Amino acid sequence: MGIANSHQISRYYDFFRDKEIVFTKSNLQILKMDPRQVYVKCAGGQWPCLINSSSLQAAKIIIGTNSGAYLAIQKDKNLGVMLRYCFIDANNSPIHFFVNCTVGEINKYQNTEELAIITLNFTQRPPDDLIFKIGEFLEANENFYHRKEERIDINKNSIRKLGLEKEESIIYIENVPRRCILKDLSFSGAKVMLVGVPKFLVGKNIGLKIDFIDTNESVLIPGIIPRAEFLEGRKDIASVHIAFNGDTVPMVYKIHINSFITTYQKTILSTQQANANNAVNQPVINTAADTKNVPVVNTITKKDPEQEVPAQEQTAPTQPAQEVPAQKETVQESVEQK
């Protein structure tokens, strides 16, 4: 989806460190986690386990009560433990790492004697790969509720950044597939164009198909058409507004929309900061009109020549100003009036 920088990683850790993700089957697929390569390491050996849930401070694992790890932990609850995570990157290569932990609560799993659920508390900040995976997932869910009305216009640039194949798509209206053109997307809905009469489309249940080529995934988002109108100047093409069913929006779609919105916001902030820096550092250039009334300054002495008074003039006594008779002013005013 994207490359995280240190600022983003730190923000994820600060905001989501205590938020927990339950590793359901669908969440494992979204996080691209390989549960077959997850292990718990302690007492000189390592044993397979299942991660039930994880935050950035702790994880809950499920292990068999007959496994060596469970027996070692039961024998010494102060035993140092390492939990091995494994994710699959965009090139289908595994990314695995260990997290140092201490043992917390130990309970039966669903009241069975064969399985136990153990809380492992991280002893330090986990690796950046785990912070990014969990942080991106949680941020997408949070923005889904707080930024659901922000619209993304579909154009060449947004198609590329969203990982879409093209602007053309398929909309299923009452289970009947029809071709459409995507005009905008958001967390909560979309706008499309298709051939049809608006009054026969309003109120219909739909499913909008979205193909993401960057992750080779396709989603079908259910919703309803609350509003539709003819495209301006056309009587055969309808502009259709779609409202998604909030609880059924796929997580894959949320992550793609969230990635675009947050990246776009960062780009705007970076541009604004760059413009501000350029404005501060830009040299001031005065034109001839700006400088015509500014006195010339001596480049050697850095003094204004008009303020430099010769020594002879400085020693000469000042003469008192002569008063102009009031009669002269009166004559001058009468001339001007004539």
Short mmCIF file of all heavy atoms in Angstrom, two decimals, residues 211-274:
data_model
loop_
_atom_site.label_atom_id
_atom_site.label_comp_id
_atom_site.label_asym_id
_atom_site.label_seq_id
_atom_site.Cartn_x
_atom_site.Cartn_y
_atom_site.Cartn_z
N ASP A 211 -12.05 -3.23 -8.42
CA ASP A 211 -10.87 -4.08 -8.62
C ASP A 211 -9.61 -3.29 -8.28
O ASP A 211 -9.39 -2.19 -8.81
CB ASP A 211 -10.79 -4.56 -10.07
CG ASP A 211 -11.96 -5.46 -10.45
OD1 ASP A 211 -12.31 -6.33 -9.63
OD2 ASP A 211 -12.52 -5.28 -11.55
N PHE A 212 -8.78 -3.85 -7.39
CA PHE A 212 -7.50 -3.25 -7.02
C PHE A 212 -6.39 -4.10 -7.62
O PHE A 212 -6.21 -5.27 -7.26
CB PHE A 212 -7.35 -3.18 -5.50
CG PHE A 212 -8.38 -2.31 -4.82
CD1 PHE A 212 -9.41 -2.87 -4.07
CD2 PHE A 212 -8.31 -0.93 -4.92
CE1 PHE A 212 -10.34 -2.07 -3.45
CE2 PHE A 212 -9.26 -0.12 -4.31
CZ PHE A 212 -10.27 -0.70 -3.56
N ILE A 213 -5.64 -3.49 -8.53
CA ILE A 213 -4.59 -4.25 -9.21
C ILE A 213 -3.30 -4.30 -8.39
O ILE A 213 -2.46 -5.17 -8.61
CB ILE A 213 -4.30 -3.68 -10.62
CG1 ILE A 213 -3.87 -2.20 -10.52
CG2 ILE A 213 -5.51 -3.82 -11.52
CD1 ILE A 213 -3.45 -1.62 -11.86
N ASP A 214 -3.12 -3.36 -7.45
CA ASP A 214 -1.88 -3.36 -6.68
C ASP A 214 -1.84 -4.54 -5.71
O ASP A 214 -0.75 -5.04 -5.37
CB ASP A 214 -1.72 -2.04 -5.92
CG ASP A 214 -2.85 -1.77 -4.97
OD1 ASP A 214 -3.96 -2.32 -5.18
OD2 ASP A 214 -2.66 -1.00 -4.01
N THR A 215 -3.01 -4.99 -5.25
CA THR A 215 -3.05 -6.14 -4.34
C THR A 215 -3.76 -7.34 -4.96
O THR A 215 -3.95 -8.36 -4.27
CB THR A 215 -3.77 -5.76 -3.03
OG1 THR A 215 -5.07 -5.24 -3.34
CG2 THR A 215 -2.99 -4.70 -2.27
N ASN A 216 -4.14 -7.23 -6.24
CA ASN A 216 -4.84 -8.30 -6.95
C ASN A 216 -6.08 -8.76 -6.18
O ASN A 216 -6.33 -9.97 -6.01
CB ASN A 216 -3.90 -9.50 -7.18
CG ASN A 216 -2.77 -9.17 -8.13
OD1 ASN A 216 -2.98 -8.47 -9.12
ND2 ASN A 216 -1.57 -9.64 -7.83
N GLU A 217 -6.86 -7.80 -5.72
CA GLU A 217 -8.07 -8.09 -4.97
C GLU A 217 -9.26 -7.42 -5.61
O GLU A 217 -9.14 -6.33 -6.18
CB GLU A 217 -7.93 -7.64 -3.51
CG GLU A 217 -6.88 -8.42 -2.73
CD GLU A 217 -6.62 -7.83 -1.36
OE1 GLU A 217 -6.16 -6.68 -1.31
OE2 GLU A 217 -6.87 -8.52 -0.35
N SER A 218 -10.41 -8.05 -5.47
CA SER A 218 -11.65 -7.51 -5.99
C SER A 218 -12.69 -7.56 -4.88
O SER A 218 -12.81 -8.58 -4.19
CB SER A 218 -12.12 -8.31 -7.20
OG SER A 218 -13.34 -7.79 -7.71
N VAL A 219 -13.42 -6.46 -4.69
CA VAL A 219 -14.43 -6.41 -3.63
C VAL A 219 -15.77 -6.03 -4.23
O VAL A 219 -15.85 -5.33 -5.25
CB VAL A 219 -14.04 -5.40 -2.52
CG1 VAL A 219 -12.76 -5.83 -1.83
CG2 VAL A 219 -13.90 -3.99 -3.07
N LEU A 220 -16.83 -6.51 -3.60
CA LEU A 220 -18.19 -6.16 -3.99
C LEU A 220 -18.84 -5.50 -2.79
O LEU A 220 -19.05 -6.13 -1.75
CB LEU A 220 -18.97 -7.40 -4.41
CG LEU A 220 -20.37 -7.17 -4.99
CD1 LEU A 220 -20.28 -6.41 -6.31
CD2 LEU A 220 -21.11 -8.48 -5.18
N ILE A 221 -19.16 -4.21 -2.91
CA ILE A 221 -19.65 -3.42 -1.79
C ILE A 221 -21.16 -3.24 -1.93
O ILE A 221 -21.62 -2.60 -2.88
CB ILE A 221 -18.95 -2.05 -1.72
CG1 ILE A 221 -17.44 -2.22 -1.83
CG2 ILE A 221 -19.31 -1.33 -0.44
CD1 ILE A 221 -16.68 -0.92 -1.92
N PRO A 222 -21.95 -3.77 -1.00
CA PRO A 222 -23.40 -3.59 -1.08
C PRO A 222 -23.83 -2.20 -0.64
O PRO A 222 -23.17 -1.56 0.18
CB PRO A 222 -23.94 -4.65 -0.11
CG PRO A 222 -22.83 -4.88 0.86
CD PRO A 222 -21.54 -4.64 0.11
N GLY A 223 -24.95 -1.74 -1.20
CA GLY A 223 -25.45 -0.42 -0.86
C GLY A 223 -26.82 -0.20 -1.45
O GLY A 223 -27.51 -1.14 -1.88
N ILE A 224 -27.22 1.07 -1.50
CA ILE A 224 -28.53 1.45 -2.03
C ILE A 224 -28.38 2.78 -2.79
O ILE A 224 -27.45 3.54 -2.52
CB ILE A 224 -29.56 1.59 -0.89
CG1 ILE A 224 -30.98 1.69 -1.44
CG2 ILE A 224 -29.24 2.77 0.01
CD1 ILE A 224 -32.06 1.58 -0.38
N ILE A 225 -29.28 3.04 -3.73
CA ILE A 225 -29.27 4.29 -4.50
C ILE A 225 -30.28 5.24 -3.88
O ILE A 225 -31.49 5.08 -4.08
CB ILE A 225 -29.60 4.04 -5.98
CG1 ILE A 225 -28.58 3.09 -6.60
CG2 ILE A 225 -29.62 5.35 -6.75
CD1 ILE A 225 -28.88 2.69 -8.04
N PRO A 226 -29.83 6.24 -3.12
CA PRO A 226 -30.78 7.19 -2.53
C PRO A 226 -31.18 8.32 -3.49
O PRO A 226 -32.22 8.95 -3.32
CB PRO A 226 -30.01 7.75 -1.34
CG PRO A 226 -28.58 7.67 -1.75
CD PRO A 226 -28.47 6.47 -2.64
N ARG A 227 -30.34 8.57 -4.51
CA ARG A 227 -30.60 9.72 -5.39
C ARG A 227 -29.98 9.48 -6.76
O ARG A 227 -28.91 8.88 -6.88
CB ARG A 227 -30.01 10.98 -4.75
CG ARG A 227 -30.28 12.27 -5.52
CD ARG A 227 -30.04 13.49 -4.61
NE ARG A 227 -28.68 13.53 -4.11
CZ ARG A 227 -27.69 14.21 -4.69
NH1 ARG A 227 -27.92 14.88 -5.80
NH2 ARG A 227 -26.49 14.22 -4.14
N ALA A 228 -30.65 9.95 -7.78
CA ALA A 228 -30.14 9.85 -9.15
C ALA A 228 -30.78 10.94 -9.99
O ALA A 228 -31.91 11.36 -9.74
CB ALA A 228 -30.44 8.47 -9.74
N GLU A 229 -30.03 11.42 -10.96
CA GLU A 229 -30.55 12.44 -11.88
C GLU A 229 -29.88 12.27 -13.24
O GLU A 229 -28.84 11.62 -13.36
CB GLU A 229 -30.31 13.85 -11.34
CG GLU A 229 -28.86 14.22 -11.14
CD GLU A 229 -28.34 13.90 -9.75
OE1 GLU A 229 -29.14 13.64 -8.85
OE2 GLU A 229 -27.10 13.88 -9.59
N PHE A 230 -30.52 12.86 -14.26
CA PHE A 230 -29.93 12.82 -15.59
C PHE A 230 -28.64 13.63 -15.60
O PHE A 230 -28.54 14.68 -14.94
CB PHE A 230 -30.89 13.37 -16.64
CG PHE A 230 -31.96 12.41 -17.06
CD1 PHE A 230 -33.30 12.68 -16.82
CD2 PHE A 230 -31.63 11.23 -17.70
CE1 PHE A 230 -34.29 11.80 -17.22
CE2 PHE A 230 -32.60 10.33 -18.11
CZ PHE A 230 -33.95 10.61 -17.85
N LEU A 231 -27.68 13.15 -16.37
CA LEU A 231 -26.47 13.92 -16.60
C LEU A 231 -26.85 15.17 -17.38
O LEU A 231 -27.70 15.12 -18.28
CB LEU A 231 -25.44 13.09 -17.36
CG LEU A 231 -24.03 13.66 -17.48
CD1 LEU A 231 -23.37 13.73 -16.11
CD2 LEU A 231 -23.20 12.80 -18.42
N GLU A 232 -26.24 16.29 -17.02
CA GLU A 232 -26.60 17.56 -17.65
C GLU A 232 -26.45 17.48 -19.17
O GLU A 232 -25.38 17.11 -19.69
CB GLU A 232 -25.73 18.69 -17.09
CG GLU A 232 -26.12 20.06 -17.60
CD GLU A 232 -25.30 21.17 -16.96
OE1 GLU A 232 -24.46 20.87 -16.09
OE2 GLU A 232 -25.48 22.34 -17.36
N GLY A 233 -27.51 17.81 -19.87
CA GLY A 233 -27.49 17.80 -21.33
C GLY A 233 -27.77 16.45 -21.95
O GLY A 233 -27.76 16.32 -23.18
N ARG A 234 -28.02 15.42 -21.11
CA ARG A 234 -28.29 14.08 -21.64
C ARG A 234 -29.59 13.54 -21.06
O ARG A 234 -29.91 13.78 -19.90
CB ARG A 234 -27.14 13.13 -21.30
CG ARG A 234 -25.79 13.52 -21.86
CD ARG A 234 -25.77 13.41 -23.39
NE ARG A 234 -25.98 12.05 -23.84
CZ ARG A 234 -24.97 11.20 -24.11
NH1 ARG A 234 -23.72 11.60 -23.98
NH2 ARG A 234 -25.24 9.99 -24.54
N LYS A 235 -30.33 12.80 -21.85
CA LYS A 235 -31.57 12.18 -21.40
C LYS A 235 -31.49 10.66 -21.40
O LYS A 235 -32.51 9.98 -21.23
CB LYS A 235 -32.75 12.63 -22.29
CG LYS A 235 -33.08 14.11 -22.18
CD LYS A 235 -33.51 14.46 -20.76
CE LYS A 235 -33.89 15.94 -20.66
NZ LYS A 235 -34.29 16.30 -19.27
N ASP A 236 -30.26 10.14 -21.58
CA ASP A 236 -30.08 8.68 -21.60
C ASP A 236 -29.06 8.20 -20.58
O ASP A 236 -28.92 7.00 -20.36
CB ASP A 236 -29.67 8.22 -22.99
CG ASP A 236 -28.38 8.90 -23.45
OD1 ASP A 236 -28.06 10.00 -22.92
OD2 ASP A 236 -27.69 8.36 -24.32
N ILE A 237 -28.33 9.14 -19.94
CA ILE A 237 -27.29 8.77 -18.99
C ILE A 237 -27.65 9.35 -17.63
O ILE A 237 -27.96 10.54 -17.50
CB ILE A 237 -25.91 9.27 -19.44
CG1 ILE A 237 -25.53 8.65 -20.78
CG2 ILE A 237 -24.86 8.96 -18.39
CD1 ILE A 237 -24.21 9.11 -21.33
N ALA A 238 -27.59 8.51 -16.61
CA ALA A 238 -27.94 8.91 -15.25
C ALA A 238 -26.69 9.04 -14.38
O ALA A 238 -25.74 8.24 -14.51
CB ALA A 238 -28.90 7.91 -14.63
N SER A 239 -26.68 10.06 -13.53
CA SER A 239 -25.65 10.21 -12.50
C SER A 239 -26.23 9.66 -11.21
O SER A 239 -27.21 10.19 -10.68
CB SER A 239 -25.27 11.69 -12.35
OG SER A 239 -24.32 11.85 -11.33
N VAL A 240 -25.64 8.59 -10.71
CA VAL A 240 -26.22 7.81 -9.61
C VAL A 240 -25.37 7.96 -8.36
O VAL A 240 -24.15 7.77 -8.39
CB VAL A 240 -26.33 6.32 -10.00
CG1 VAL A 240 -26.82 5.50 -8.82
CG2 VAL A 240 -27.25 6.16 -11.19
N HIS A 241 -26.00 8.31 -7.24
CA HIS A 241 -25.35 8.42 -5.94
C HIS A 241 -25.61 7.15 -5.15
O HIS A 241 -26.76 6.71 -5.02
CB HIS A 241 -25.86 9.64 -5.18
CG HIS A 241 -25.64 10.93 -5.90
ND1 HIS A 241 -24.57 11.77 -5.65
CD2 HIS A 241 -26.35 11.53 -6.90
CE1 HIS A 241 -24.63 12.82 -6.43
NE2 HIS A 241 -25.70 12.70 -7.21
N ILE A 242 -24.54 6.57 -4.60
CA ILE A 242 -24.63 5.29 -3.89
C ILE A 242 -24.26 5.49 -2.43
O ILE A 242 -23.26 6.16 -2.12
CB ILE A 242 -23.70 4.24 -4.53
CG1 ILE A 242 -24.09 4.00 -5.98
CG2 ILE A 242 -23.71 2.94 -3.74
CD1 ILE A 242 -23.08 3.17 -6.75
N ALA A 243 -25.06 4.93 -1.53
CA ALA A 243 -24.75 4.91 -0.10
C ALA A 243 -24.44 3.47 0.29
O ALA A 243 -25.30 2.59 0.13
CB ALA A 243 -25.91 5.46 0.72
N PHE A 244 -23.22 3.23 0.78
CA PHE A 244 -22.84 1.87 1.17
C PHE A 244 -23.52 1.48 2.48
O PHE A 244 -23.82 2.32 3.33
CB PHE A 244 -21.33 1.76 1.35
CG PHE A 244 -20.55 1.97 0.08
CD1 PHE A 244 -19.27 2.53 0.11
CD2 PHE A 244 -21.06 1.61 -1.15
CE1 PHE A 244 -18.54 2.73 -1.04
CE2 PHE A 244 -20.34 1.79 -2.33
CZ PHE A 244 -19.07 2.36 -2.27
N ASN A 245 -23.72 0.16 2.64
CA ASN A 245 -24.16 -0.37 3.92
C ASN A 245 -22.95 -0.40 4.85
O ASN A 245 -22.02 -1.19 4.64
CB ASN A 245 -24.75 -1.77 3.76
CG ASN A 245 -25.98 -1.78 2.87
OD1 ASN A 245 -26.65 -0.75 2.72
ND2 ASN A 245 -26.28 -2.91 2.26
N GLY A 246 -22.94 0.49 5.86
CA GLY A 246 -21.74 0.74 6.66
C GLY A 246 -21.06 -0.48 7.23
O GLY A 246 -19.84 -0.61 7.20
N ASP A 247 -21.83 -1.44 7.75
CA ASP A 247 -21.24 -2.59 8.43
C ASP A 247 -20.67 -3.62 7.47
O ASP A 247 -20.00 -4.56 7.91
CB ASP A 247 -22.28 -3.27 9.33
CG ASP A 247 -22.75 -2.35 10.45
OD1 ASP A 247 -21.99 -1.45 10.83
OD2 ASP A 247 -23.90 -2.53 10.93
N THR A 248 -20.94 -3.47 6.19
CA THR A 248 -20.51 -4.47 5.22
C THR A 248 -19.40 -3.98 4.29
O THR A 248 -19.04 -4.69 3.35
CB THR A 248 -21.70 -4.95 4.38
OG1 THR A 248 -22.28 -3.81 3.72
CG2 THR A 248 -22.77 -5.60 5.25
N VAL A 249 -18.88 -2.78 4.54
CA VAL A 249 -17.80 -2.26 3.68
C VAL A 249 -16.53 -3.07 3.97
O VAL A 249 -16.08 -3.15 5.11
CB VAL A 249 -17.54 -0.77 3.95
CG1 VAL A 249 -16.36 -0.28 3.13
CG2 VAL A 249 -18.78 0.05 3.64
N PRO A 250 -15.93 -3.70 2.96
CA PRO A 250 -14.75 -4.55 3.18
C PRO A 250 -13.56 -3.75 3.70
O PRO A 250 -13.36 -2.59 3.34
CB PRO A 250 -14.46 -5.12 1.79
CG PRO A 250 -15.72 -4.95 1.02
CD PRO A 250 -16.37 -3.72 1.55
N MET A 251 -12.76 -4.40 4.54
CA MET A 251 -11.60 -3.75 5.12
C MET A 251 -10.57 -3.40 4.06
O MET A 251 -9.87 -2.38 4.17
CB MET A 251 -10.98 -4.67 6.18
CG MET A 251 -9.97 -4.00 7.07
SD MET A 251 -10.74 -2.72 8.08
CE MET A 251 -9.34 -1.66 8.40
N VAL A 252 -10.48 -4.20 3.03
CA VAL A 252 -9.53 -3.92 1.94
C VAL A 252 -9.85 -2.56 1.30
O VAL A 252 -8.96 -1.76 1.02
CB VAL A 252 -9.57 -5.04 0.89
CG1 VAL A 252 -8.77 -4.64 -0.36
CG2 VAL A 252 -9.04 -6.33 1.46
N TYR A 253 -11.13 -2.31 1.08
CA TYR A 253 -11.56 -1.03 0.50
C TYR A 253 -11.25 0.12 1.46
O TYR A 253 -10.75 1.17 1.04
CB TYR A 253 -13.06 -1.08 0.21
CG TYR A 253 -13.63 0.21 -0.32
CD1 TYR A 253 -13.50 0.56 -1.67
CD2 TYR A 253 -14.30 1.10 0.52
CE1 TYR A 253 -14.03 1.74 -2.16
CE2 TYR A 253 -14.83 2.28 0.03
CZ TYR A 253 -14.69 2.60 -1.30
OH TYR A 253 -15.21 3.78 -1.78
N LYS A 254 -11.51 -0.07 2.76
CA LYS A 254 -11.23 0.97 3.75
C LYS A 254 -9.75 1.35 3.74
O LYS A 254 -9.39 2.54 3.80
CB LYS A 254 -11.61 0.50 5.15
CG LYS A 254 -13.09 0.30 5.39
CD LYS A 254 -13.32 -0.17 6.82
CE LYS A 254 -14.75 -0.54 7.10
NZ LYS A 254 -14.93 -1.04 8.49
N ILE A 255 -8.88 0.35 3.67
CA ILE A 255 -7.43 0.61 3.73
C ILE A 255 -6.98 1.39 2.50
O ILE A 255 -6.16 2.31 2.59
CB ILE A 255 -6.66 -0.71 3.87
CG1 ILE A 255 -6.88 -1.30 5.28
CG2 ILE A 255 -5.17 -0.50 3.63
CD1 ILE A 255 -6.22 -2.63 5.51
N HIS A 256 -7.51 1.07 1.32
CA HIS A 256 -7.14 1.80 0.11
C HIS A 256 -7.59 3.25 0.17
O HIS A 256 -6.83 4.17 -0.17
CB HIS A 256 -7.72 1.11 -1.12
CG HIS A 256 -6.92 -0.05 -1.62
ND1 HIS A 256 -7.01 -1.30 -1.07
CD2 HIS A 256 -6.01 -0.15 -2.62
CE1 HIS A 256 -6.20 -2.13 -1.71
NE2 HIS A 256 -5.58 -1.44 -2.66
N ILE A 257 -8.84 3.48 0.60
CA ILE A 257 -9.35 4.84 0.71
C ILE A 257 -8.56 5.62 1.75
O ILE A 257 -8.18 6.79 1.54
CB ILE A 257 -10.85 4.84 1.06
CG1 ILE A 257 -11.66 4.19 -0.06
CG2 ILE A 257 -11.34 6.26 1.31
CD1 ILE A 257 -11.61 4.90 -1.38
N ASN A 258 -8.28 4.99 2.88
CA ASN A 258 -7.54 5.67 3.95
C ASN A 258 -6.13 6.03 3.50
O ASN A 258 -5.63 7.12 3.80
CB ASN A 258 -7.48 4.77 5.18
CG ASN A 258 -6.74 5.42 6.34
OD1 ASN A 258 -7.22 6.34 6.97
ND2 ASN A 258 -5.53 4.94 6.62
N SER A 259 -5.49 5.13 2.77
CA SER A 259 -4.14 5.39 2.29
C SER A 259 -4.11 6.61 1.38
O SER A 259 -3.21 7.46 1.47
CB SER A 259 -3.58 4.16 1.56
OG SER A 259 -2.30 4.42 1.03
N PHE A 260 -5.10 6.72 0.49
CA PHE A 260 -5.14 7.87 -0.42
C PHE A 260 -5.39 9.17 0.35
O PHE A 260 -4.71 10.17 0.14
CB PHE A 260 -6.24 7.68 -1.46
CG PHE A 260 -6.32 8.80 -2.46
CD1 PHE A 260 -5.63 8.74 -3.65
CD2 PHE A 260 -7.09 9.94 -2.20
CE1 PHE A 260 -5.68 9.78 -4.57
CE2 PHE A 260 -7.15 10.99 -3.10
CZ PHE A 260 -6.44 10.90 -4.29
N ILE A 261 -6.36 9.16 1.27
CA ILE A 261 -6.72 10.38 2.00
C ILE A 261 -5.55 10.88 2.84
O ILE A 261 -5.23 12.07 2.84
CB ILE A 261 -7.96 10.13 2.88
CG1 ILE A 261 -9.21 9.99 2.00
CG2 ILE A 261 -8.16 11.27 3.88
CD1 ILE A 261 -10.46 9.65 2.76
N THR A 262 -4.90 9.98 3.56
CA THR A 262 -3.79 10.40 4.43
C THR A 262 -2.59 10.84 3.61
O THR A 262 -1.91 11.80 3.97
CB THR A 262 -3.39 9.25 5.37
OG1 THR A 262 -3.14 8.05 4.62
CG2 THR A 262 -4.50 8.96 6.37
N THR A 263 -2.32 10.16 2.49
CA THR A 263 -1.20 10.56 1.62
C THR A 263 -1.47 11.92 0.99
O THR A 263 -0.57 12.77 0.91
CB THR A 263 -0.97 9.51 0.52
OG1 THR A 263 -0.73 8.24 1.12
CG2 THR A 263 0.20 9.90 -0.36
N TYR A 264 -2.71 12.15 0.55
CA TYR A 264 -3.07 13.44 -0.06
C TYR A 264 -2.94 14.56 0.96
O TYR A 264 -2.44 15.65 0.65
CB TYR A 264 -4.50 13.36 -0.58
CG TYR A 264 -5.01 14.63 -1.23
CD1 TYR A 264 -4.53 15.04 -2.46
CD2 TYR A 264 -5.97 15.41 -0.59
CE1 TYR A 264 -4.99 16.20 -3.05
CE2 TYR A 264 -6.43 16.58 -1.18
CZ TYR A 264 -5.94 16.97 -2.41
OH TYR A 264 -6.40 18.11 -2.99
N GLN A 265 -3.34 14.29 2.20
CA GLN A 265 -3.24 15.30 3.25
C GLN A 265 -1.77 15.64 3.52
O GLN A 265 -1.41 16.81 3.70
CB GLN A 265 -3.91 14.80 4.52
CG GLN A 265 -3.95 15.82 5.66
CD GLN A 265 -4.64 15.26 6.89
OE1 GLN A 265 -4.55 14.07 7.17
NE2 GLN A 265 -5.33 16.12 7.62
N LYS A 266 -0.92 14.61 3.56
CA LYS A 266 0.51 14.85 3.78
C LYS A 266 1.11 15.68 2.65
O LYS A 266 1.96 16.55 2.87
CB LYS A 266 1.25 13.52 3.89
CG LYS A 266 0.95 12.73 5.16
CD LYS A 266 1.63 11.39 5.07
CE LYS A 266 1.11 10.46 6.15
NZ LYS A 266 1.63 9.10 6.00
N THR A 267 0.67 15.41 1.41
CA THR A 267 1.19 16.16 0.26
C THR A 267 0.83 17.63 0.36
O THR A 267 1.66 18.51 0.10
CB THR A 267 0.63 15.57 -1.04
OG1 THR A 267 0.98 14.18 -1.11
CG2 THR A 267 1.18 16.29 -2.25
N ILE A 268 -0.42 17.91 0.77
CA ILE A 268 -0.85 19.31 0.91
C ILE A 268 -0.04 20.01 1.99
O ILE A 268 0.44 21.14 1.81
CB ILE A 268 -2.35 19.37 1.24
CG1 ILE A 268 -3.17 18.91 0.04
CG2 ILE A 268 -2.77 20.78 1.66
CD1 ILE A 268 -4.65 18.86 0.30
N LEU A 269 0.15 19.34 3.13
CA LEU A 269 0.90 19.94 4.23
C LEU A 269 2.35 20.19 3.83
O LEU A 269 2.93 21.22 4.16
CB LEU A 269 0.84 19.04 5.46
CG LEU A 269 -0.54 18.91 6.13
CD1 LEU A 269 -0.49 17.89 7.26
CD2 LEU A 269 -1.02 20.26 6.65
N SER A 270 2.95 19.24 3.10
CA SER A 270 4.34 19.40 2.66
C SER A 270 4.46 20.57 1.69
O SER A 270 5.41 21.35 1.75
CB SER A 270 4.83 18.11 2.00
OG SER A 270 4.81 17.04 2.92
N THR A 271 3.48 20.70 0.77
CA THR A 271 3.50 21.80 -0.19
C THR A 271 3.36 23.14 0.51
O THR A 271 4.06 24.11 0.19
CB THR A 271 2.38 21.62 -1.22
OG1 THR A 271 2.53 20.36 -1.87
CG2 THR A 271 2.41 22.74 -2.25
N GLN A 272 2.43 23.21 1.47
CA GLN A 272 2.25 24.45 2.22
C GLN A 272 3.50 24.82 3.00
O GLN A 272 3.89 25.99 3.05
CB GLN A 272 1.06 24.30 3.17
CG GLN A 272 -0.29 24.23 2.47
CD GLN A 272 -1.43 24.01 3.44
OE1 GLN A 272 -1.22 23.63 4.60
NE2 GLN A 272 -2.66 24.22 2.98
N GLN A 273 4.16 23.84 3.61
CA GLN A 273 5.38 24.11 4.35
C GLN A 273 6.50 24.57 3.43
O GLN A 273 7.25 25.51 3.75
CB GLN A 273 5.82 22.84 5.11
CG GLN A 273 7.04 23.03 6.00
CD GLN A 273 6.79 24.01 7.11
OE1 GLN A 273 5.72 24.04 7.70
NE2 GLN A 273 7.78 24.84 7.42
N ALA A 274 6.62 23.94 2.25
CA ALA A 274 7.64 24.34 1.28
C ALA A 274 7.40 25.76 0.79
O ALA A 274 8.34 26.56 0.67
CB ALA A 274 7.67 23.37 0.11
#
